[in-house]
């Protein structure tokens, strides 16, 4: 279990909070493992009616830990933690509500494509600089983002690397509501509690219908992962990671 992810119960909610503020919540392999275990445990627990994913004030997440990426790029073993997490996320059985304030890079953006309701703050900017890093979209985002945003906005986000501010994300359909930073947690909890109070069987059927079959999403996660793994070891990616690690 990683100390950088806090998992707690709030009555019928399970709250998973990224807790590595000194690194803007960059996500390590241990953090993915903890989040995957928490999602699965929440799904298996009848007392949990809704799962909540939160970051820190000013930083939901700066994305995958680039030191972890560099380790793979320079010959290290990748591990399966991120894929275990993505599969737990894509296959989650309970409603997912997320709250985002500030930085939301890479997986810090694509995670929300799997959430049923996302609340963000005015200073939030979603961004996925995959191509600039020599990488490709992940987490099923190459399938889910065009469905959510349309081709042009998805392409601008995923390939052009253009940031998507919260208000635009709301207009585009990626975000349910925009609230002030100091009101974010309460608004997220209220939203999740409202869902948790619904008749659970009806809510589950409704959610499954709205999300549709997951097979295509899971297949896309695997397809992207094949490319991603190869790209991690590319010269383009290695150069980008080293530039970040040595920028100061
Ligand atoms: N992986 C590892 N460490 C990261 C990180 C990441 N993805 N993002 C930030 N950090 C670390 C920084 O190295 C820094 O550590 P240090 O204080 O020990 O030097 C600390 O977090 C704070 O980051 P800093 O860059 O100083 O904050 P900032 O507010 O100026 O910028 C970002 C924030 C997110 C714009 C910038 O950190 C960034 O571009 N990060 C990389 C994002 C990325 O490409 N993620 C991968 C997506 S696939």
């Amino acid at each position: 279990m990683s100390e950088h992810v806090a998992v707690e119960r709030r009555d019928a909610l399970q709250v998973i909070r990224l807790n590595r503020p000194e690194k803007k919540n960059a996500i390590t392999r241990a953090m993915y493992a903890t989040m995957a275990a928490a999602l699965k445990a929440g799904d298996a627990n009848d007392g949990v009616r809704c799962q909540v994913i939160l970051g820190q004030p000013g930083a939901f997440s700066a994305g995958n830990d680039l030191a972890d990426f560099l380790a793979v790029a320079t010959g290290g073993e990748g591990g399966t933690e991120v894929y275990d997490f993505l599969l737990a996320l894509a296959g989650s059985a309970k409603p997912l509500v997320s709250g985002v304030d500030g930085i939301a890079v890479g997986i810090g953006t694509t995670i929300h494509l799997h959430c049923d309701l996302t609340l963000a703050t005015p200073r939030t900017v979603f961004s996925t600089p995959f191509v600039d890093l020599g990488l490709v979209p992940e987490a099923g985002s190459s399938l889910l983002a065009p469905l959510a945003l349309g081709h042009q906005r998805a392409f601008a986000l995923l390939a052009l690397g253009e940031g998507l501010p919260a208000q635009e994300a709301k207009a585009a359909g990626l975000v349910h509501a925009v609230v002030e930073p100091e009101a974010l947690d309460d608004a997220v909890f209220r939203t999740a509690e409202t869902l948790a109070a619904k008749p659970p069987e009806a809510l589950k059927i409704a959610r499954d219908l709205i999300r549709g079959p997951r097979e295509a999403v899971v297949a896309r996660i695997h397809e992207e992962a094949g490319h991603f793994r190869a790209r991690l070891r590319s010269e383009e990616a290695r150069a980008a990671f080293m530039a970040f690690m040595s920028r100061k």
Side-chain angles (χ1 to χ4, degrees):
M1 291 294 123
S2 169
E3 63 187 302
H4 293 129
V5 178
V7 181
E8 62 166 29
R9 279 291 294 277
R10 277 178 69 100
D11 300 319
L13 311 184
Q14 177 170 266
V15 182
I16 301 169
R17 190 189 288 274
L18 296 165
N19 189 26
R20 199 187 179 206
E22 70 283 6
K23 295 287 182 186
K24 308 281 174 179
N25 278 345
I27 306 178
T28 60
R29 289 169 56 177
M31 291 165 73
Y32 285 118
T34 303
M35 290 195 291
L39 280 177
K40 288 183 209 165
D43 277 349
N45 184 334
D46 288 343
V48 173
R49 296 279 186 89
C50 182
Q51 308 220 50
V52 170
I53 304 177
L54 288 169
Q56 296 292 324
F60 176 77
S61 173
N64 201 100
D65 189 288
L66 288 173
D68 279 6
F69 273 173
L70 182 62
V72 178
T74 51
E77 259 306 308
T80 62
E81 295 87 348
V82 64
Y83 303 109
D84 294 344
F85 169 67
L86 293 179
L87 295 179
L89 190 65
S92 71
K94 309 269 171 79
L96 291 170
V97 178
S98 58
V100 194
D101 178 32
I103 294 166
V105 186
I107 185 97
T109 284
T110 56
I111 204 171
H112 307 292
L113 293 164
H114 297 271
C115 293
D116 300 297
L117 293 167
T118 296
L119 282 73
T121 62
R123 63 186 179 185
T124 299
V125 179
F126 297 93
S127 70
T128 57
F130 297 123
V131 172
D132 291 326
L133 291 169
L135 301 172
V136 295
E138 39 67 305
S141 60
S142 62
L143 178 70
L144 294 171
L147 289 175
L149 305 170
H151 176 80
Q152 298 275 331
R153 273 201 179 97
F155 197 88
L157 181 73
L158 295 175
L160 186 60
E162 195 172 274
L164 184 64
Q167 286 295 359
E168 281 180 42
K170 179 169 182 283
L174 183 67
V175 158
H176 168 61
V178 178
V179 301
E180 290 305 317
E182 53 281 7
L184 181 67
D185 282 13
D186 281 351
V188 167
F189 293 144
R190 260 200 324 276
T191 304
E193 281 156 7
T194 304
L195 280 175
K198 304 279 180 203
E201 288 172 22
L203 180 60
K204 175 163 176 35
I205 297 167
R207 179 177 187 262
D208 288 348
L209 287 167
I210 295 165
R211 285 167 79 87
R214 296 280 95 189
E215 287 81 3
V217 178
V218 169
R220 184 61 66 96
I221 288 172
H222 286 302
E223 187 183 349
E224 291 168 346
H227 291 293
F228 204 98
R229 267 193 291 266
R231 295 305 309 166
L232 275 177
R233 294 181 168 82
S234 70
E235 188 43 48
E236 290 174 352
R238 200 164 30 238
F241 304 152
M242 288 175 81
F244 178 79
M245 299 312 292
S246 59
R247 76 199 191 290
K248 283 188 177 167

mmCIF file of all heavy atoms in Angstrom, residues 217-243:
data_model
loop_
_atom_site.group_PDB
_atom_site.id
_atom_site.type_symbol
_atom_site.label_atom_id
_atom_site.label_comp_id
_atom_site.label_asym_id
_atom_site.label_seq_id
_atom_site.Cartn_x
_atom_site.Cartn_y
_atom_site.Cartn_z
ATOM 1 N N VAL A 217 -14.013 -0.866 -24.652
ATOM 2 C CA VAL A 217 -13.107 0.011 -23.893
ATOM 3 C C VAL A 217 -11.893 -0.791 -23.423
ATOM 4 O O VAL A 217 -10.743 -0.347 -23.544
ATOM 5 C CB VAL A 217 -13.846 0.638 -22.690
ATOM 6 C CG1 VAL A 217 -12.890 1.504 -21.875
ATOM 7 C CG2 VAL A 217 -15.044 1.451 -23.156
ATOM 8 N N VAL A 218 -12.170 -1.994 -22.896
ATOM 9 C CA VAL A 218 -11.066 -2.833 -22.412
ATOM 10 C C VAL A 218 -10.146 -3.227 -23.575
ATOM 11 O O VAL A 218 -8.919 -3.182 -23.450
ATOM 12 C CB VAL A 218 -11.632 -4.075 -21.675
ATOM 13 C CG1 VAL A 218 -10.534 -5.089 -21.392
ATOM 14 C CG2 VAL A 218 -12.320 -3.647 -20.381
ATOM 15 N N ALA A 219 -10.751 -3.566 -24.704
ATOM 16 C CA ALA A 219 -9.928 -3.927 -25.873
ATOM 17 C C ALA A 219 -9.062 -2.742 -26.290
ATOM 18 O O ALA A 219 -7.887 -2.902 -26.632
ATOM 19 C CB ALA A 219 -10.830 -4.366 -27.035
ATOM 20 N N ARG A 220 -9.612 -1.523 -26.231
ATOM 21 C CA ARG A 220 -8.840 -0.355 -26.627
ATOM 22 C C ARG A 220 -7.709 -0.083 -25.616
ATOM 23 O O ARG A 220 -6.606 0.313 -26.001
ATOM 24 C CB ARG A 220 -9.743 0.871 -26.780
ATOM 25 C CG ARG A 220 -9.011 2.114 -27.289
ATOM 26 C CD ARG A 220 -8.397 1.905 -28.679
ATOM 27 N NE ARG A 220 -9.415 1.716 -29.677
ATOM 28 C CZ ARG A 220 -9.906 2.681 -30.462
ATOM 29 N NH1 ARG A 220 -9.444 3.900 -30.372
ATOM 30 N NH2 ARG A 220 -10.840 2.418 -31.348
ATOM 31 N N ILE A 221 -7.989 -0.305 -24.332
ATOM 32 C CA ILE A 221 -6.931 -0.129 -23.316
ATOM 33 C C ILE A 221 -5.762 -1.058 -23.647
ATOM 34 O O ILE A 221 -4.591 -0.644 -23.616
ATOM 35 C CB ILE A 221 -7.488 -0.414 -21.897
ATOM 36 C CG1 ILE A 221 -8.413 0.725 -21.461
ATOM 37 C CG2 ILE A 221 -6.348 -0.604 -20.887
ATOM 38 C CD1 ILE A 221 -9.159 0.463 -20.158
ATOM 39 N N HIS A 222 -6.066 -2.290 -24.008
ATOM 40 C CA HIS A 222 -4.995 -3.236 -24.345
ATOM 41 C C HIS A 222 -4.266 -2.815 -25.625
ATOM 42 O O HIS A 222 -3.032 -2.883 -25.697
ATOM 43 C CB HIS A 222 -5.557 -4.652 -24.496
ATOM 44 C CG HIS A 222 -5.915 -5.278 -23.186
ATOM 45 N ND1 HIS A 222 -5.005 -5.460 -22.164
ATOM 46 C CD2 HIS A 222 -7.086 -5.768 -22.712
ATOM 47 C CE1 HIS A 222 -5.586 -6.021 -21.127
ATOM 48 N NE2 HIS A 222 -6.862 -6.219 -21.425
ATOM 49 N N GLU A 223 -5.036 -2.375 -26.613
ATOM 50 C CA GLU A 223 -4.411 -1.968 -27.890
ATOM 51 C C GLU A 223 -3.475 -0.774 -27.662
ATOM 52 O O GLU A 223 -2.335 -0.754 -28.132
ATOM 53 C CB GLU A 223 -5.516 -1.614 -28.904
ATOM 54 C CG GLU A 223 -4.989 -1.352 -30.301
ATOM 55 C CD GLU A 223 -6.118 -0.935 -31.262
ATOM 56 O OE1 GLU A 223 -7.307 -1.049 -30.904
ATOM 57 O OE2 GLU A 223 -5.776 -0.479 -32.369
ATOM 58 N N GLU A 224 -3.984 0.221 -26.930
ATOM 59 C CA GLU A 224 -3.152 1.386 -26.615
ATOM 60 C C GLU A 224 -1.907 0.968 -25.830
ATOM 61 O O GLU A 224 -0.802 1.481 -26.069
ATOM 62 C CB GLU A 224 -3.943 2.384 -25.772
ATOM 63 C CG GLU A 224 -5.072 3.081 -26.504
ATOM 64 C CD GLU A 224 -6.020 3.835 -25.564
ATOM 65 O OE1 GLU A 224 -5.960 3.613 -24.330
ATOM 66 O OE2 GLU A 224 -6.831 4.621 -26.044
ATOM 67 N N ALA A 225 -2.111 0.026 -24.893
ATOM 68 C CA ALA A 225 -1.002 -0.385 -24.023
ATOM 69 C C ALA A 225 0.128 -1.010 -24.822
ATOM 70 O O ALA A 225 1.309 -0.814 -24.501
ATOM 71 C CB ALA A 225 -1.496 -1.352 -22.951
ATOM 72 N N GLY A 226 -0.227 -1.758 -25.868
ATOM 73 C CA GLY A 226 0.806 -2.363 -26.714
ATOM 74 C C GLY A 226 1.677 -1.284 -27.337
ATOM 75 O O GLY A 226 2.918 -1.365 -27.318
ATOM 76 N N HIS A 227 1.035 -0.261 -27.881
ATOM 77 C CA HIS A 227 1.787 0.856 -28.475
ATOM 78 C C HIS A 227 2.558 1.618 -27.390
ATOM 79 O O HIS A 227 3.708 2.004 -27.584
ATOM 80 C CB HIS A 227 0.837 1.831 -29.176
ATOM 81 C CG HIS A 227 0.216 1.264 -30.418
ATOM 82 N ND1 HIS A 227 0.937 0.978 -31.551
ATOM 83 C CD2 HIS A 227 -1.066 0.922 -30.705
ATOM 84 C CE1 HIS A 227 0.133 0.490 -32.488
ATOM 85 N NE2 HIS A 227 -1.092 0.447 -31.990
ATOM 86 N N PHE A 228 1.879 1.838 -26.263
ATOM 87 C CA PHE A 228 2.472 2.650 -25.191
ATOM 88 C C PHE A 228 3.771 2.018 -24.699
ATOM 89 O O PHE A 228 4.797 2.698 -24.536
ATOM 90 C CB PHE A 228 1.460 2.783 -24.039
ATOM 91 C CG PHE A 228 1.660 3.990 -23.183
ATOM 92 C CD1 PHE A 228 0.908 5.139 -23.397
ATOM 93 C CD2 PHE A 228 2.593 3.990 -22.149
ATOM 94 C CE1 PHE A 228 1.084 6.272 -22.604
ATOM 95 C CE2 PHE A 228 2.776 5.109 -21.357
ATOM 96 C CZ PHE A 228 2.023 6.250 -21.574
ATOM 97 N N ARG A 229 3.697 0.701 -24.471
ATOM 98 C CA ARG A 229 4.894 -0.005 -23.981
ATOM 99 C C ARG A 229 6.058 0.149 -24.955
ATOM 100 O O ARG A 229 7.193 0.390 -24.560
ATOM 101 C CB ARG A 229 4.575 -1.493 -23.778
ATOM 102 C CG ARG A 229 4.136 -1.828 -22.362
ATOM 103 C CD ARG A 229 4.144 -3.334 -22.128
ATOM 104 N NE ARG A 229 3.082 -3.974 -22.892
ATOM 105 C CZ ARG A 229 1.866 -4.235 -22.397
ATOM 106 N NH1 ARG A 229 1.585 -3.933 -21.155
ATOM 107 N NH2 ARG A 229 0.949 -4.823 -23.140
ATOM 108 N N ALA A 230 5.755 0.014 -26.243
ATOM 109 C CA ALA A 230 6.816 0.150 -27.254
ATOM 110 C C ALA A 230 7.328 1.590 -27.292
ATOM 111 O O ALA A 230 8.530 1.833 -27.374
ATOM 112 C CB ALA A 230 6.275 -0.264 -28.624
ATOM 113 N N ARG A 231 6.394 2.557 -27.219
ATOM 114 C CA ARG A 231 6.792 3.963 -27.286
ATOM 115 C C ARG A 231 7.662 4.356 -26.083
ATOM 116 O O ARG A 231 8.535 5.206 -26.209
ATOM 117 C CB ARG A 231 5.561 4.885 -27.332
ATOM 118 C CG ARG A 231 4.678 4.783 -28.542
ATOM 119 C CD ARG A 231 5.410 4.976 -29.826
ATOM 120 N NE ARG A 231 6.218 6.187 -29.811
ATOM 121 C CZ ARG A 231 7.157 6.467 -30.697
ATOM 122 N NH1 ARG A 231 7.425 5.610 -31.669
ATOM 123 N NH2 ARG A 231 7.845 7.572 -30.623
ATOM 124 N N LEU A 232 7.384 3.759 -24.907
ATOM 125 C CA LEU A 232 8.172 4.098 -23.711
ATOM 126 C C LEU A 232 9.660 3.860 -23.943
ATOM 127 O O LEU A 232 10.491 4.531 -23.346
ATOM 128 C CB LEU A 232 7.716 3.252 -22.517
ATOM 129 C CG LEU A 232 6.521 3.749 -21.719
ATOM 130 C CD1 LEU A 232 6.181 2.746 -20.621
ATOM 131 C CD2 LEU A 232 6.795 5.121 -21.098
ATOM 132 N N ARG A 233 9.963 2.889 -24.808
ATOM 133 C CA ARG A 233 11.367 2.543 -25.056
ATOM 134 C C ARG A 233 11.902 3.232 -26.307
ATOM 135 O O ARG A 233 13.007 2.935 -26.753
ATOM 136 C CB ARG A 233 11.513 1.029 -25.172
ATOM 137 C CG ARG A 233 11.218 0.336 -23.846
ATOM 138 C CD ARG A 233 11.383 -1.184 -23.915
ATOM 139 N NE ARG A 233 11.370 -1.766 -22.571
ATOM 140 C CZ ARG A 233 10.260 -2.031 -21.881
ATOM 141 N NH1 ARG A 233 9.085 -1.762 -22.400
ATOM 142 N NH2 ARG A 233 10.339 -2.550 -20.664
ATOM 143 N N SER A 234 11.129 4.149 -26.880
ATOM 144 C CA SER A 234 11.570 4.836 -28.101
ATOM 145 C C SER A 234 12.549 5.962 -27.744
ATOM 146 O O SER A 234 12.551 6.476 -26.613
ATOM 147 C CB SER A 234 10.366 5.421 -28.856
ATOM 148 O OG SER A 234 9.817 6.509 -28.121
ATOM 149 N N GLU A 235 13.333 6.341 -28.734
ATOM 150 C CA GLU A 235 14.286 7.437 -28.537
ATOM 151 C C GLU A 235 13.535 8.742 -28.266
ATOM 152 O O GLU A 235 13.962 9.562 -27.442
ATOM 153 C CB GLU A 235 15.184 7.553 -29.778
ATOM 154 C CG GLU A 235 16.343 8.519 -29.632
ATOM 155 C CD GLU A 235 17.077 8.412 -28.282
ATOM 156 O OE1 GLU A 235 17.401 7.287 -27.863
ATOM 157 O OE2 GLU A 235 17.283 9.473 -27.638
ATOM 158 N N GLU A 236 12.384 8.915 -28.954
ATOM 159 C CA GLU A 236 11.587 10.145 -28.757
ATOM 160 C C GLU A 236 11.171 10.292 -27.282
ATOM 161 O O GLU A 236 11.274 11.373 -26.690
ATOM 162 C CB GLU A 236 10.320 10.101 -29.629
ATOM 163 C CG GLU A 236 10.577 10.242 -31.115
ATOM 164 C CD GLU A 236 9.315 10.042 -31.951
ATOM 165 O OE1 GLU A 236 8.264 9.640 -31.412
ATOM 166 O OE2 GLU A 236 9.379 10.276 -33.166
ATOM 167 N N ALA A 237 10.696 9.191 -26.711
ATOM 168 C CA ALA A 237 10.207 9.251 -25.332
ATOM 169 C C ALA A 237 11.367 9.430 -24.352
ATOM 170 O O ALA A 237 11.308 10.250 -23.433
ATOM 171 C CB ALA A 237 9.422 7.984 -24.999
ATOM 172 N N ARG A 238 12.436 8.662 -24.581
ATOM 173 C CA ARG A 238 13.591 8.749 -23.671
ATOM 174 C C ARG A 238 14.099 10.190 -23.599
ATOM 175 O O ARG A 238 14.364 10.729 -22.523
ATOM 176 C CB ARG A 238 14.692 7.797 -24.150
ATOM 177 C CG ARG A 238 15.679 7.443 -23.073
ATOM 178 C CD ARG A 238 16.536 6.223 -23.385
ATOM 179 N NE ARG A 238 16.787 6.017 -24.801
ATOM 180 C CZ ARG A 238 16.453 4.902 -25.465
ATOM 181 N NH1 ARG A 238 15.865 3.913 -24.836
ATOM 182 N NH2 ARG A 238 16.719 4.773 -26.746
ATOM 183 N N ALA A 239 14.200 10.812 -24.760
ATOM 184 C CA ALA A 239 14.698 12.201 -24.804
ATOM 185 C C ALA A 239 13.755 13.130 -24.042
ATOM 186 O O ALA A 239 14.207 14.018 -23.296
ATOM 187 C CB ALA A 239 14.840 12.650 -26.257
ATOM 188 N N ALA A 240 12.436 12.940 -24.194
ATOM 189 C CA ALA A 240 11.468 13.817 -23.521
ATOM 190 C C ALA A 240 11.534 13.631 -21.997
ATOM 191 O O ALA A 240 11.506 14.606 -21.238
ATOM 192 C CB ALA A 240 10.056 13.519 -24.028
ATOM 193 N N PHE A 241 11.649 12.387 -21.540
ATOM 194 C CA PHE A 241 11.700 12.141 -20.086
ATOM 195 C C PHE A 241 12.983 12.750 -19.506
ATOM 196 O O PHE A 241 12.966 13.361 -18.438
ATOM 197 C CB PHE A 241 11.665 10.648 -19.752
ATOM 198 C CG PHE A 241 10.478 9.915 -20.321
ATOM 199 C CD1 PHE A 241 10.556 8.561 -20.622
ATOM 200 C CD2 PHE A 241 9.279 10.570 -20.551
ATOM 201 C CE1 PHE A 241 9.471 7.892 -21.140
ATOM 202 C CE2 PHE A 241 8.180 9.907 -21.076
ATOM 203 C CZ PHE A 241 8.281 8.554 -21.375
ATOM 204 N N MET A 242 14.093 12.550 -20.231
ATOM 205 C CA MET A 242 15.370 13.065 -19.710
ATOM 206 C C MET A 242 15.352 14.589 -19.682
ATOM 207 O O MET A 242 15.865 15.207 -18.741
ATOM 208 C CB MET A 242 16.533 12.523 -20.530
ATOM 209 C CG MET A 242 16.740 11.047 -20.227
ATOM 210 S SD MET A 242 17.984 10.246 -21.207
ATOM 211 C CE MET A 242 19.430 10.726 -20.349
ATOM 212 N N ALA A 243 14.714 15.192 -20.675
ATOM 213 C CA ALA A 243 14.615 16.664 -20.692
ATOM 214 C C ALA A 243 13.842 17.137 -19.468
ATOM 215 O O ALA A 243 14.220 18.122 -18.814
ATOM 216 C CB ALA A 243 13.924 17.122 -21.970
#
